[in-house]
Amino acid sequence: MYPESIYIASAEPRAGSLIIAIGFMEMLKGHYNRVAFFRPIIPDGEERDSDIDFMLRHFDLDIPYEACCGFTVSEYTKAYADDNEEDLYEALIHRVSQLHKAYDFVLIEGYPRNIFASIFDFDINLKIARNLGTILVPVLNAKGKSSDKILNQIQIISEAIHSEGCTHLAIFVNRCDQEILDNIKNRISAVQKDEQIYLLPELKELDTPTLDEVIKLLQAEMIMGNPEQRQHLVYGNKIAAMGVENYLSHINNGDLVIVPGDRIAIIIASLLSYYAKNHPNIAGMILSGGITPSNAIMKLLEDFGETAVPVLTVKSDSYQTAIALEKVTANIAAENTRKITLAKGLFDAAIDKIKIGERFRSSSKEMVTPMMFQYRLFERARSKRQKIVLPESTDERILRATEILIQRDIVHIILLGDRKRIEHQSIQMGLDITKAEIIDPHDSDLIENFSQTFYTMRKEKGLTLDAARDAMIHPNYFATMMVYEGVADGMVSGATHTTTDTVRPALQIIKTQPDISIVSSVFFMCLDTRVLVYGDCAINLDPTAQELAQIAISSADTASKFGIEPRVAMLSYSTGSSGKGPEVDKVREATHLAQSLRPDLLIEGPIQYDAAIDEKVAKKKLPDSKVAGRATVFVFPDLNTGNNTYKAVQRSTGALAIGPVLQGLRLPVNDLSRGCLVDDIVNTVAITAIQAQQEDKQ
């Protein structure tokens, strides 16, 4: 959603994404005052997520725990099963958006892949990162893998990220075996171009559990030792089921010894070994079977002092305890300063901070997904709620859209029509539209004033007062006059009326903006990772060069109003000076006119579609252009080309097409397609509200 965020995601289990997150957080805290940490999906359970808890405690982040997490695994899997993923993504966008309002940077760590069923894959993190519009940092687990397999995985991940439309900052390959580390580095250096790939060696200490983790898993009681010893590393475990002499030859440094509580000789021998210079220092003892030594033995053990070997007790027997210990996983806790120091050192040694900073700045081009664009529309619309009038209240789609707009508190809705009929129809449909204002033009006190105003406007054109009154009974004329008189802030029609029925009243009553001679339209084409503006695809059949220039300027201004940097491509069947003929000449003339009228805009033409959108093609055809390959506004030479192109792109790519959005009018009136869906109506109403906000500013 914002370039001020990074999304770290493990591509496979046990890859060590927390280590990478620690390294990045250390860097970010050195550059930003307020940094937030967020996890879109966390494990089920009542306990706090360990990674969130670590970040909050170790880095002393000023953010409540609840603001750091999105959904649990169960909530996500249910949304996936119910085909409601879009609702979940929208909620995640909202939560991250709220963090960006309060913090300078948001560091995001992806879901722990190993807790999902096999039907889920790394692409979940890709989808979340794409919808959040953040820069991705994938983390691979290289432990036990050959150089060939690691390099293949790097290539697969890079291709997956590219195909999903994400931007990635760098790939981290963690837990590399020392013996193949140099070989991988050399092979990567030979093929590496713009990619930043960082290799981190396996450190046994970071993958080794602490005594504290053992205590928590076994629900053990520590009857001897001190709190600091809970952070000692446990490298292995041994069951003491032999005599003292053989036992001492089988233990190693860092072992956790499992021994029944009544094997006093083993217990004392373990303590002696701990203090002896040439014998192993075990990590601790677990007294199994729920048996503890007698008071006399305990007093003897206590005489060794708090620094003696830690002693735990559990109720399970030695075999059950050993089986349970196999399930202990190594984590990094806020208390374990040694592991934290190792993790930070590992990260710092692996990366080039200057290079990664430069890559971040160059990668920080904003990505906009359809869901992000819709979310922003709704947020902007509700920031200053406008009154939007909908004259086609008998259409079921209009009523359903009305309920959505009211429930989400996006705008204030005015419906035109018979109150009893509208209320009865909505009840039959199971809708609650009680918060909508309903006005019947036939019974309204406004109709006479509107008729007089319209008559005054058009009497020189031959309009009579009776004809003006007849016109005002038509819902589109009445609604347009409501906008003109300020009773409503905008109007949306076209679900049951033609485009002419919507546009004609607007041209007669509201009229065009100063310096704009033509009303035109655009579609917002929401592709996977960006939003493009297409104009004109709905209104003008075959515009002249002068009209085409006006359409280009209006389309650029519309794009700018909705947060899209306008780079205008005047489309034709040829690029630059290569083509000749009346059609390409018209586009060339329109380009020159638009450039002279608005020298502040980036306008290129004539240009073919492929050169306008594809950077590789642009480098060949127009290498010096600031628009070619990066166009955001596409102006078609005629309605035939524009309408067919937008529908072809929409149907072949699955793009969300929002529109047509009318432009050039003094006040906002927008047209719907008669085949529109409920979502189309909701989006168009939100756009109309934002246009009304812009008019308020002016």
Side-chain angles (χ1 to χ4, degrees):
M1 182 172 299
Y2 300 87
E4 293 83 11
S5 60
I6 291 174
Y7 191 115
I8 298 168
S10 295
E12 50 196 321
R14 308 295 298 167
S17 60
L18 180 60
I19 293 171
I20 310 305
I22 290 170
F24 271 107
M25 183 61 82
E26 184 97 314
M27 285 177 61
L28 293 169
K29 291 287 283 183
H31 292 85
Y32 295 92
N33 183 34
R34 289 172 61 78
V35 182
F37 183 74
F38 184 76
R39 298 202 78 184
I41 302 174
I42 60 172
D44 293 309
E46 296 180 0
E47 291 186 8
R48 289 160 66 99
D49 177 77
S50 59
D51 286 12
I52 295 175
D53 195 51
F54 172 86
M55 286 292 187
L56 293 179
R57 293 174 60 195
H58 177 69
F59 290 102
D60 194 25
L61 301 182
D62 180 21
I63 177 173
Y65 174 86
E66 294 73 21
C68 296
C69 49
F71 298 93
T72 64
V73 174
S74 296
E75 289 169 333
Y76 188 92
T77 51
K78 186 178 187 306
Y80 182 88
D82 296 342
D83 199 25
N84 289 330
E85 277 187 292
E86 286 195 2
D87 293 339
L88 184 139
Y89 291 144
E90 186 175 338
L92 288 176
I93 291 170
H94 175 73
R95 295 188 186 191
V96 174
S97 175
Q98 296 303 111
L99 290 177
H100 275 289
K101 291 177 182 178
Y103 297 88
D104 303 320
F105 202 102
V106 181
L107 182 64
I108 306 167
E109 185 189 5
Y111 75 99
R113 186 187 184 281
N114 54 307
I115 63 177
F116 278 96
S118 58
I119 58 170
F120 296 101
D121 208 339
F122 180 60
D123 64 356
I124 295 177
N125 277 317
L126 290 179
K127 288 178 181 177
I128 295 174
R130 179 166 63 86
N131 279 291
L132 293 180
T134 186
I135 298 171
L136 190 70
V137 176
V139 185
L140 301 180
N141 182 357
K143 185 174 176 62
K145 295 176 183 174
S146 66
S147 300
D148 288 340
K149 188 168 185 179
I150 292 168
L151 291 168
N152 286 337
Q153 281 192 298
I154 291 172
Q155 184 177 355
I156 290 168
I157 288 295
S158 295
E159 291 173 357
I161 292 169
H162 179 74
S163 64
E164 190 66 28
C166 290
T167 302
H168 74 284
L169 177 62
I171 296 176
F172 281 80
V173 185
N174 194 21
R175 309 187 66 182
C176 296
D177 294 334
Q178 288 286 352
E179 57 269 23
I180 65 169
L181 199 57
D182 290 337
N183 178 263
I184 301 172
K185 284 181 180 178
N186 293 334
R187 293 179 66 181
I188 287 175
S189 298
V191 298
Q192 189 174 3
K193 296 179 181 178
D194 295 331
E195 293 271 12
Q196 289 201 45
I197 302 168
Y198 296 109
L199 307 174
L200 283 71
E202 168 78 340
L203 285 187
K204 188 176 181 181
E205 293 89 340
L206 293 176
D207 195 36
T208 302
T210 62
L211 193 61
D212 185 62
E213 288 165 334
V214 170
I215 292 170
K216 289 176 180 176
L217 178 77
L218 300 181
Q219 296 182 329
E221 179 185 356
M222 189 172 187
I223 61 173
M224 203 169 112
N226 61 66
E228 290 182 0
Q229 291 175 316
R230 293 172 72 104
Q231 299 306 320
H232 287 183
L233 300 179
V234 177
Y235 287 100
N237 63 79
K238 298 284 173 57
I239 297 177
M242 55 186 73
V244 170
E245 291 180 2
N246 290 322
Y247 161 72
L248 289 174
S249 64
H250 280 77
I251 57 174
N252 298 307
N253 286 328
D255 275 349
L256 188 58
V257 176
I258 306 167
V259 58
D262 55 0
R263 296 285 301 275
I264 305 303
I266 294 290
I267 294 171
I268 293 175
S270 298
L271 285 168
L272 291 174
S273 172
Y274 184 80
Y275 282 103
K277 289 182 179 180
N278 298 315
H279 285 72
N281 286 331
I282 62 173
M285 284 185 288
I286 300 178
L287 307 184
S288 61
I291 303 169
T292 55
S294 64
N295 288 335
I297 297 297
M298 283 302 301
K299 286 182 179 179
L300 175 63
L301 298 180
E302 288 168 2
D303 282 346
F304 282 91
E306 286 188 353
T307 57
V309 128
V311 179
L312 317 177
T313 63
V314 295
K315 293 180 180 179
S316 55
D317 62 31
S318 296
Y319 178 74
Q320 292 170 329
T321 303
I323 294 297
L325 281 174
E326 297 300 319
K327 299 178 181 178
V328 177
T329 56
N331 294 303
I332 302 177
E335 298 83 7
N336 199 309
T337 54
R338 184 165 183 269
K339 276 192 177 185
I340 295 167
T341 302
L342 287 171
K344 290 179 179 178
L346 193 67
F347 181 87
D348 289 342
I351 72 162
D352 183 333
K353 291 186 179 181
I354 295 175
K355 196 173 179 181
I356 208 166
E358 291 172 351
R359 174 64 182 257
F360 176 77
R361 286 186 289 274
S362 65
S363 299
S364 293
K365 54 185 181 183
E366 188 172 9
M367 177 169 56
V368 182
T369 66
M371 195 172 299
M372 290 162 59
F373 187 70
Q374 286 179 291
Y375 174 82
R376 294 180 191 181
L377 288 181
F378 297 161
E379 286 296 293
R380 284 185 63 184
R382 66 165 62 95
S383 67
K384 186 180 180 184
R385 290 171 185 79
Q386 305 289 302
K387 283 187 177 182
I388 307 300
V389 57
L390 305 177
E392 301 164 315
S393 58
T394 58
D395 190 285
E396 288 189 3
R397 295 166 297 172
I398 294 292
L399 293 179
R400 293 190 188 282
T402 296
E403 184 185 50
I404 293 170
L405 290 160
I406 289 172
Q407 285 180 342
R408 301 196 64 174
D409 204 19
I410 296 171
V411 292
H412 300 294
I413 291 293
I414 303 172
L415 296 173
L416 298 189
D418 181 82
R419 175 178 293 276
K420 289 184 178 179
R421 181 179 176 182
I422 294 170
E423 290 176 346
H424 178 68
Q425 186 178 356
S426 64
I427 291 170
Q428 283 185 323
M429 295 172 64
L431 305 176
D432 180 8
I433 60 168
T434 52
K435 290 184 179 179
E437 183 180 352
I438 300 175
I439 296 176
D440 187 347
H442 294 85
D443 297 332
S444 173
D445 296 336
L446 297 170
I447 196 163
E448 185 59 30
N449 289 334
F450 287 178
S451 300
Q452 291 288 345
T453 301
F454 189 47
Y455 167 68
T456 303
M457 285 179 174
R458 305 287 295 177
K459 63 183 179 181
E460 292 183 1
K461 303 281 186 180
L463 182 72
T464 65
L465 183 57
D466 286 341
R469 290 189 179 111
D470 289 341
M472 284 304 121
I473 293 174
H474 191 287
N476 275 359
Y477 272 95
F478 189 89
T480 304
M481 190 60 78
M482 288 179 69
V483 177
Y484 177 80
E485 293 286 6
V487 180
D489 300 305
M491 168 188 138
V492 174
S493 184
T496 59
H497 292 100
T498 65
T499 295
T500 301
D501 288 335
T502 301
V503 174
R504 182 187 290 116
L507 288 173
Q508 291 177 353
I509 297 169
I510 292 174
K511 298 182 173 55
T512 58
Q513 296 174 358
D515 303 323
I516 297 294
S517 61
I518 186 171
V519 173
S520 58
S521 72
V522 295
F523 279 87
F524 290 104
M525 301 299 294
C526 304
L527 306 178
D528 279 350
T529 58
R530 53 182 164 171
V531 177
L532 306 177
V533 175
Y534 283 9
D536 176 2
C537 305
I539 303 293
N540 296 286
L541 184 63
D542 188 14
T544 65
Q546 291 77 13
E547 290 171 335
L548 204 57
Q550 292 284 345
I551 291 170
I553 291 168
S554 294
S555 300
D557 288 340
T558 298
S560 184
K561 288 177 182 178
F562 287 88
I564 300 168
E565 183 182 349
R567 294 187 289 273
V568 184
M570 306 292 284
L571 298 175
S572 179
Y573 57 77
S574 71
T575 296
S577 58
S578 62
K580 296 186 182 298
E583 292 303 316
V584 72
D585 289 342
K586 180 180 80 169
V587 174
R588 186 175 290 114
E589 182 184 352
T591 302
H592 294 323
L593 282 170
Q595 289 170 338
S596 63
L597 289 168
R598 290 290 299 275
D600 58 304
L601 294 174
L602 292 176
I603 303 174
E604 183 70 72
I607 185 171
Q608 291 163 289
Y609 192 95
D610 59 348
I613 200 166
D614 191 313
E615 291 188 14
K616 291 181 180 178
V617 176
K619 286 179 180 178
K620 294 179 180 178
K621 294 189 175 184
L622 285 175
D624 299 324
S625 173
K626 294 181 180 179
V627 173
R630 303 173 61 240
T632 56
V633 179
F634 295 76
V635 179
F636 295 91
D638 53 59
L639 185 60
N640 181 51
T641 308
N643 193 269
N644 277 304
T645 302
Y646 107 76
K647 287 181 178 177
V649 172
Q650 180 188 29
R651 299 302 176 188
S652 60
T653 67
L656 173 67
I658 301 176
V661 176
L662 300 187
Q663 54 191 14
L665 291 167
R666 291 176 183 266
L667 296 170
V669 171
N670 276 311
D671 183 37
L672 296 166
S673 163
R674 278 172 286 177
C676 64
L677 304 175
V678 172
D679 285 347
D680 298 329
I681 300 169
V682 172
N683 290 332
T684 303
V685 169
I687 283 174
T688 307
I690 295 168
Q691 288 177 316
Q693 292 171 351
Q694 297 290 333
E695 295 302 328
D696 284 349
K697 288 181 182 179
Q698 292 175 5

